[in-house]
Amino acid sequence: MNTVELWKKRFELFVKEMRTYGKYIFNDHLKFVLIFAIGIGAYYYNQWLQTLSPSFPTSWLMAASFAFVVISGGVQTFVKRPDIVFLLPLEEKMKPYFKRTFLLSYFVHLMIVLLTGLVLAPLYSHQYKEGMSTYIILLALLAIVTWWNLLIVWERTYAMDERVRTFDYIVRLGLTFAFVFSLLSRLSIMYTVVIVAGMGVYLFSLYRKKERQGYNWEQLIDEEEKKKLRLYRFANLFTDVPQLKERVKRRKWLDVFTTAVSFSQANTYSFLYIRSFLRSGSYFGMFVRQLILGGILVYYVPFLYARMFISLLFIYVIAYQLISLAKRYHVMLWTNLYPIPVETQRRAFSSLLIRLLLLPSVVYSVLFAIATYNWLMAVIILLCNLFFSYGFTYVYGSKRIKTIIS
């Protein structure tokens, strides 16, 4: 088998895996929420544009958005841990393999950049009052910058020092931001030329440093495993992922919540579920991130009903993703030895779920009250949040829990 056939087989396996998990992730419930969220978001996005003044820092916002999206791209290599042994003798013949991985990664990331450009197009049109031909030229230049960025990312894999990679990230972010900002702000062409020259010099310096080094297999494999782990963690919120090796962390400062559970046979699963939630990076980290992001949007979004919708949307997302925690002990043999009824296990999980949903319900309503001083509406939002949390847990959630814990 040559390296091109190897790449084709691994790409086919990757596509098959994405399809398998994709049909669980993008189910009917999530599709409905996404369509509804996009519709509401588009409406309030248009409303927000009408409130902008000519002094709004459009150039700064768009340059920062494009810069972060462009530099977030990486090269999907499909390499595996055994390759460091079995493909090392074929290193000189691996160029066609990595060329295809680079091109695939570029076109996938370019679609993300163009999608970002599509989202920002109304803002550009409203603030600059120009035809879209200029904006299309900007996107074409961004396609070139995206190519430059991925070349840098690929050359960066030869660097062994973590400080070098951190420095590289900062340099790419700064140069990309400066390039986009110079175009949007209509700065002198000399500024843009200097920035482009800096990009070229930086890329050339990496090529000179690489010289005739071999591939950094350890770095390539580590990066690929990180990408796979992110995919598995996300997919695990919707279905079982056998390949996922869950990492747990003690988080001693949260032990107060586990000690609050009384020591009795009836509370066995209450103790297990809360301990799993607090020590699991997937569930606890997801909960904290969603709570903070939802809180920021509820506080800063300037539209009353949009705040209410965002509050309910994030409670739904948190609740839907926490449901998969019920499967944690379902396939474990030793928990089946416990002389505890299945109904007790279901009640333990439902009790944890409703308690966890109380936190965003209260936090979002409090943030709404602080931002608007509309206490009556804050109380209404709190009641809506509590009603929704209760309904999700004991109506929709109870049916899901019965199918999982049986």
Side-chain angles (χ1 to χ4, degrees):
M1 181 190 299
N2 59 39
T3 56
V4 175
E5 292 176 351
L6 176 64
W7 183 87
K8 289 180 179 179
K9 287 197 171 185
R10 291 193 172 178
F11 175 67
E12 290 172 358
L13 289 174
F14 174 75
V15 172
K16 182 180 179 180
E17 192 175 44
M18 292 294 291
R19 286 176 177 172
T20 301
Y21 292 124
K23 65 182 180 181
Y24 290 107
I25 295 172
F26 296 102
N27 52 57
D28 293 337
H29 297 286
L30 188 61
K31 287 178 183 177
F32 173 78
V33 172
L34 287 175
I35 292 172
F36 194 64
I38 291 172
I40 295 293
Y43 172 77
Y44 283 109
Y45 183 27
N46 182 65
Q47 295 292 105
W48 175 68
L49 290 178
Q50 307 309 316
T51 64
L52 296 183
S53 63
S55 61
F56 182 80
T58 307
S59 300
W60 291 89
L61 176 62
M62 293 187 65
S65 300
F66 278 124
F68 278 109
V69 171
V70 167
I71 70 167
S72 65
V75 180
Q76 191 86 36
T77 58
F78 309 129
V79 292
K80 301 179 180 180
R81 184 61 59 180
D83 292 347
I84 198 171
V85 176
F86 295 105
L87 293 184
L88 191 60
L90 301 175
E91 186 167 320
E92 294 182 357
K93 300 180 181 179
M94 290 297 293
K95 189 173 181 180
Y97 178 96
F98 288 120
K99 181 180 179 181
R100 282 164 173 77
T101 63
F102 183 89
L103 291 174
L104 175 66
S105 302
Y106 171 71
F107 285 114
V108 170
H109 192 59
L110 181 60
M111 293 300 103
I112 298 174
V113 174
L114 295 179
L115 181 62
T116 305
L118 183 64
V119 173
L120 295 176
L123 175 62
Y124 178 89
S125 178
H126 183 272
Q127 290 296 97
Y128 288 93
K129 311 296 182 185
E130 295 179 346
M132 296 307 294
S133 57
T134 306
Y135 190 65
I136 292 174
I137 294 174
L138 171 64
L139 294 179
L141 294 174
L142 278 173
I144 300 174
V145 175
T146 303
W147 181 274
W148 168 84
N149 171 78
L150 281 183
L151 280 176
I152 296 291
V153 171
W154 177 249
E155 298 304 319
R156 185 195 64 185
T157 59
Y158 294 92
M160 304 296 292
D161 194 341
E162 182 65 31
R163 291 173 297 179
V164 174
R165 292 194 289 269
T166 303
F167 173 77
D168 166 75
Y169 182 88
I170 295 173
V171 170
R172 288 188 292 117
L173 177 62
L175 288 173
T176 305
F177 175 85
F179 176 77
V180 180
F181 183 79
S182 67
L183 296 176
L184 292 172
S185 300
R186 307 295 192 268
L187 298 180
S188 171
I189 189 64
M190 289 304 300
Y191 288 101
T192 307
V193 170
V194 170
I195 295 167
V196 172
M199 290 178 170
V201 169
Y202 184 60
L203 179 60
F204 180 72
S205 67
L206 290 179
Y207 271 109
R208 288 291 299 272
K209 289 180 181 179
K210 182 185 68 173
E211 295 179 347
R212 290 185 175 274
Q213 294 179 0
Y215 297 112
N216 187 351
W217 288 97
E218 287 286 352
Q219 177 67 18
L220 292 174
I221 294 169
D222 288 343
E223 291 292 329
E224 192 66 18
E225 289 180 346
K226 288 178 183 178
K227 293 185 179 73
K228 281 286 188 71
L229 183 60
R230 286 194 292 267
L231 170 64
Y232 292 154
R233 281 179 173 174
F234 183 68
N236 190 57
L237 298 173
F238 302 89
T239 185
D240 289 320
V241 180
Q243 300 92 331
L244 180 63
K245 297 178 181 179
E246 185 62 66
R247 295 181 179 180
V248 294
K249 189 175 182 181
R250 172 68 189 276
R251 296 191 178 97
K252 189 175 181 179
W253 57 282
L254 293 174
D255 284 351
V256 63
F257 295 102
T258 59
T259 56
V261 180
S262 61
F263 187 75
S264 65
Q265 182 176 340
N267 289 330
T268 299
Y269 278 101
S270 297
F271 180 80
L272 288 174
Y273 279 128
I274 191 171
R275 201 174 181 86
S276 298
F277 169 75
L278 294 176
R279 293 189 171 188
S280 168
S282 299
Y283 296 103
F284 183 76
M286 176 277 298
F287 181 82
V288 172
R289 288 191 296 271
Q290 301 284 13
L291 181 65
I292 293 174
L293 179 59
I296 292 173
L297 293 175
V298 168
Y299 187 85
Y300 285 105
V301 169
F303 306 106
L304 177 66
Y305 293 105
R307 283 173 163 144
M308 179 183 290
F309 170 75
I310 290 170
S311 177
L312 293 173
L313 175 63
F314 272 86
I315 292 173
Y316 171 81
V317 171
I318 291 172
Y320 192 85
Q321 293 178 344
L322 284 175
I323 283 287
S324 60
L325 180 60
K327 297 179 289 188
R328 191 168 186 84
Y329 298 101
H330 180 58
V331 295
M332 290 187 178
L333 178 62
W334 57 269
T335 55
N336 293 329
L337 301 176
Y338 294 166
I340 300 173
V342 173
E343 190 59 36
T344 302
Q345 184 180 354
R346 293 170 183 167
R347 284 199 302 269
F349 182 79
S350 297
S351 176
L352 173 64
L353 181 60
I354 190 64
R355 291 178 183 180
L356 291 175
L357 295 182
L358 286 177
L359 182 59
S361 299
V362 173
V363 168
Y364 293 159
S365 58
V366 170
L367 288 173
F368 176 87
I370 295 173
T372 63
Y373 296 101
N374 190 338
W375 300 101
L376 177 60
M377 196 64 192
V379 172
I380 294 174
I381 289 179
L382 175 61
L383 293 176
C384 290
N385 290 346
L386 295 176
F387 179 78
F388 181 83
S389 300
Y390 184 88
F392 184 95
T393 303
Y394 293 106
V395 180
Y396 172 79
S398 63
K399 295 179 182 178
R400 285 287 308 277
I401 293 169
K402 285 181 180 179
T403 60
I404 295 171
I405 305 173
S406 57

